[in-house]
Amino acid sequence: MEFICYPKCSTCQKAKKWLDENKIEYTERHIVDDNPTYEELKKWYEKSGLPLKRFFNTSGMLYKEMKLKDKFPDMSEDEQLQLLATNGMLVKRPLVVAEGFVLTGFKEKEWTEKIL
């Protein structure tokens, strides 16, 4: 299982603590130093069954500075995936990628259902 996070993010810290407390094995990946590629994001998006918007860090400064909320209606899925691949700060975190599922953000109930 891959745990993709931004170490300074408080939600990521909470999620990591939860994984450790539940003795879940994972590989940690720094989302800025090792930004997900277009191919990875496309694969995860298809595997997740989630709307593509759930992969965007909509509360992030970069998202707001780029006024992405207004641009989304005119962007294709492909354009959105290419944009996500340009900067890890645009990607919703933490992100968990496992054999049978992909999780975006940390919702303890959802993580408990999928991981435990």
Side-chain angles (χ1 to χ4, degrees):
M1 184 168 97
E2 194 168 18
F3 176 65
I4 303 158
C5 65
Y6 183 63
K8 292 180 182 164
C9 161
S10 60
T11 305
C12 293
Q13 292 167 0
K14 254 190 273 186
K16 183 176 178 171
K17 184 176 182 231
W18 184 90
L19 289 169
D20 292 341
E21 285 173 353
N22 287 286
K23 297 178 178 33
I24 308 294
E25 284 188 33
Y26 59 90
T27 305
E28 188 171 334
R29 177 171 165 185
H30 191 300
I31 201 158
V32 176
D33 295 346
D34 188 4
N35 191 47
T37 65
Y38 168 83
E39 289 76 17
E40 286 176 314
L41 289 159
K42 185 172 173 60
K43 190 169 80 178
W44 299 340
Y45 162 58
E46 290 168 355
K47 184 180 188 178
S48 74
L50 297 168
L52 188 52
K53 189 167 182 176
R54 288 274 307 270
F55 281 82
F56 279 87
N57 179 14
T58 55
S59 57
M61 285 190 315
L62 188 57
Y63 181 89
K64 291 173 179 167
E65 284 169 12
M66 294 175 76
K67 297 182 176 33
L68 291 177
K69 188 175 100 178
D70 302 328
K71 294 177 182 171
F72 266 137
D74 301 323
M75 292 175 75
S76 69
E77 279 189 358
D78 200 57
E79 289 170 326
Q80 291 178 37
L81 286 164
Q82 286 177 7
L83 180 62
L84 274 174
T86 63
N87 190 320
M89 295 307 272
L90 287 173
V91 182
K92 179 82 172 168
R93 53 193 187 264
L95 195 58
V96 168
V97 180
E99 193 61 42
F101 60 89
V102 175
L103 299 172
T104 60
F106 177 60
K107 295 182 186 77
E108 193 170 335
K109 184 178 183 285
E110 183 183 22
W111 282 39
T112 301
E113 289 169 7
K114 294 276 187 181
I115 298 172
L116 296 183

